[in-house]
Amino acid sequence: MSRTMARGAFCAALGVWFWMMTNTLSVTQMIFPDQEGLLGACCPAMALIMFDVGAVAWLFVFLRYSEGIAQRAIAVVVSFVSLMGGIFLSVAHLYLGGQTLTTIPAEIGTWVLWAIGGMTLVHGVAIWASHLVNPEEMRLIKTQSMLDNGKALALDRAEAKLNERMDLIADSMSIEYAKNIETELRRYAGIGIPLSIPPQKHPNGEHPLA
């Protein structure tokens, strides 16, 4: 008896879900009335992924694939928001489906467009955030952060050690710089001899630097 009731409840749930899907599809077909070809047929159907199918898909992600509190929170929140969006489009279709029982709110078309645009944003951000807060990705991010901090600390300590020896390093570098500058000056002056060798006459007479 209990199994029969459970199956009946499941079939009823499938019926409600199918009802919501047909309403969502009908409303989105109103938004894309002149689309042709495969892309035109896909545009209204893709809205199902963001609303009715999205609600079940994110619930499945929550139950089976989410790891950590952050991923579970994202999955269950987006599942609920998708469900509310699907219910809203079903209500909108009741107004826009041709009924004459009540006046159609003037803003309902704008609300539908904002709902579809908002759900696109919600799903896009949720997919990005869900990957970002994956425990393995968080581990890699923290590991890289610790490596970066270690490198920064090592550079600071290397700078401090070099500052302690800077006078000696500067003296050594100054000697090398002086030799290089002397070589360039003598090359420019046409004197290819070191200072330690007695000066010789330049072809045009003794040079002052010799």
Side-chain angles (χ1 to χ4, degrees), residues 101-192:
L101 299 176
T102 186
T103 304
I104 302 175
E107 301 84 2
I108 193 168
T110 303
W111 295 343
V112 169
L113 294 178
W114 275 107
I116 294 176
M119 287 305 302
T120 303
L121 176 64
V122 167
H123 281 274
V125 172
I127 293 171
W128 171 79
S130 184
H131 286 289
L132 183 64
V133 300
N134 181 279
E136 179 63 19
E137 296 299 328
M138 294 296 294
R139 184 188 67 81
L140 294 175
I141 292 172
K142 289 183 179 180
T143 300
Q144 187 60 50
S145 178
M146 288 187 288
L147 288 174
D148 294 340
N149 292 336
K151 291 178 181 179
L153 181 59
L155 287 173
D156 291 340
R157 292 185 177 180
E159 182 180 7
K161 293 180 182 298
L162 285 175
N163 287 333
E164 294 175 357
R165 303 174 57 189
M166 194 57 68
D167 289 340
L168 179 61
I169 295 173
D171 287 340
S172 299
M173 293 176 65
S174 66
I175 295 173
E176 189 65 26
Y177 285 166
K179 290 181 180 179
N180 293 336
I181 294 171
E182 177 187 345
T183 300
E184 291 298 324
L185 289 174
R186 286 182 167 277
R187 183 180 297 112
Y188 178 78
I191 305 173

Side-chain angles (χ1 to χ4, degrees), residues 3-206:
R3 290 186 177 180
T4 303
M5 293 179 62
R7 289 173 182 173
F10 180 72
C11 292
L14 287 179
V16 173
W17 189 45
F18 182 74
W19 159 256
M20 292 175 57
M21 290 177 64
T22 56
N23 288 325
T24 300
L25 189 60
S26 297
V27 171
T28 51
Q29 284 174 341
M30 296 178 187
I31 298 173
F32 305 102
D34 300 324
Q35 297 290 331
E36 298 180 357
L38 181 61
L39 182 60
C42 287
C43 282
M46 292 299 288
L48 297 175
I49 298 177
M50 294 189 297
F51 291 93
D52 311 296
V53 175
V56 177
W58 280 102
L59 180 61
F60 186 75
V61 170
F62 169 75
L63 295 174
R64 291 288 184 268
Y65 294 105
S66 295
E67 298 180 2
I69 296 176
Q71 272 196 336
R72 291 188 177 92
I74 291 172
V76 73
V77 168
V78 178
S79 176
F80 179 77
V81 172
S82 299
L83 177 62
M84 292 298 102
I87 293 174
F88 168 74
L89 290 188
S90 294
V91 174
H93 185 248
L94 293 178
Y95 279 101
L96 301 174
Q99 59 84 27
T100 57
L101 299 176
T102 186
T103 304
I104 302 175
E107 301 84 2
I108 193 168
T110 303
W111 295 343
V112 169
L113 294 178
W114 275 107
I116 294 176
M119 287 305 302
T120 303
L121 176 64
V122 167
H123 281 274
V125 172
I127 293 171
W128 171 79
S130 184
H131 286 289
L132 183 64
V133 300
N134 181 279
E136 179 63 19
E137 296 299 328
M138 294 296 294
R139 184 188 67 81
L140 294 175
I141 292 172
K142 289 183 179 180
T143 300
Q144 187 60 50
S145 178
M146 288 187 288
L147 288 174
D148 294 340
N149 292 336
K151 291 178 181 179
L153 181 59
L155 287 173
D156 291 340
R157 292 185 177 180
E159 182 180 7
K161 293 180 182 298
L162 285 175
N163 287 333
E164 294 175 357
R165 303 174 57 189
M166 194 57 68
D167 289 340
L168 179 61
I169 295 173
D171 287 340
S172 299
M173 293 176 65
S174 66
I175 295 173
E176 189 65 26
Y177 285 166
K179 290 181 180 179
N180 293 336
I181 294 171
E182 177 187 345
T183 300
E184 291 298 324
L185 289 174
R186 286 182 167 277
R187 183 180 297 112
Y188 178 78
I191 305 173
I193 56 174
L195 287 174
S196 58
I197 299 177
Q200 298 179 3
K201 287 187 177 181
H202 192 270
N204 297 327
E206 285 196 13

